[in-house]
Amino acid sequence: MRSKGDFHTHTTASDGILTPTALVDLVASQGVVYHAVTDHDSTEGIAEARKAAAKYDGYTLIPGVEMGTDIEGAEVHMLGLFLNPDDPELQEALKTLREGRLGRGFGIVEKLRGMGIMIEWERVQAIAGEASVGRPHIAAALVEKGYVSKVAEAFDRWIGRNGPAYVERDKMTPAESVQFITKRGGLACIAHPADLPNMDTILGELTAAGMTAMEVFYKDYPPATVEMLRLAAERHGLLPLGGSDYHGIFGNEECLPGDIPLPDSSIERLLEMASKLPNRELIA
Ligand SMILES: [Zn+2]
Ligand SMILES: [Zn+2]
């Protein structure tokens, strides 16, 4: 199923493979016209994406970010939509988060080397280029050296959350990220929540903190999962959103932008909510 909206995508500003321009071109070719760029802890891709989006009639580019946060035993990703890339306080906080990623990436490479898996930190940094180093860059280095055949295999065997080479980093709590996003005038939406332990409790706490949306129509969630999440969104009064989480690194099976069963009603409600946000002028 194809939607007109996709509110979760990555570019070379974090661990996506496409430049912001190439991503917008792909998104537009998919018939998507409401598009959020949500790089990990970075808005560096927004300016270029905006320029590219201006070529397309009726294309609404929503500036966003995906913040990594921690709870006991799990990682929670929080999307911040309608954030202003020119906000110095936002940039200060994102810089701190990126420095945490760098330290964590180095720690993972050290752990791998301790296990006899000899990839070079310099090579991981080169693969990341201008982007902030993420685990997919480490995975790419592992593929390059022939230790695994696919990025996903690197996550499964070593660098996924429960993998032997995983390293934690200091992060905000999910509630702190919600408060941060709303204080900066944006809209907070929890990303890919299906696997969270005690999801309902977390959703309740984050809604109380000011979160107003959650991902329901996410990437390859099967229909039963989507339905379970749709009901949860209803229980908590959250706007059911979604996105492909497109990175371009997971090969042929990767969900393309807009290939999600996100209904038009979600897009309409989002635009309605956005029109009341402090940052409403950001919607181009
Ligand atoms: Zn995520
Ligand atoms: Zn993502």
Side-chain angles (χ1 to χ4, degrees), residues 189-190 193 199-200 203-204 207 211-217 225-242 266 269:
C189 171
I190 191 167
M199 182 185 75
D200 258 300
L203 291 179
T207 304
M211 186 174 81
T212 50
M214 68 181 268
E215 279 196 318
V216 168
F217 311 97
T225 304
V226 169
E227 184 56 11
M228 180 273 285
L229 293 174
R230 198 187 60 75
L231 292 171
E234 223 167 75
R235 273 198 303 282
H236 293 277
L238 294 166
L239 169 66
L241 276 186
S266 278
R269 275 179 68 192

Side-chain angles (χ1 to χ4, degrees), residues 4 24 83 91 100 134 147 164 176 204 215 222 235 243-244 252 279 284:
K4 283 192 299 191
V24 166
L83 288 171
Q91 291 309 334
Y147 283 112
E176 282 167 348
E215 279 196 318
R235 273 198 303 282
S244 60
N252 288 336
N279 284 347

Side-chain angles (χ1 to χ4, degrees), residues 8 10 40 66 245 247:
H8 188 167
H10 295 274
H40 296 286
E66 182 172 20
D245 202 0
H247 284 76

Side-chain angles (χ1 to χ4, degrees), residues 26 86 129 181 218 224 235 257:
L26 173 67
D86 299 325
I181 289 163
Y218 176 74
R235 273 198 303 282

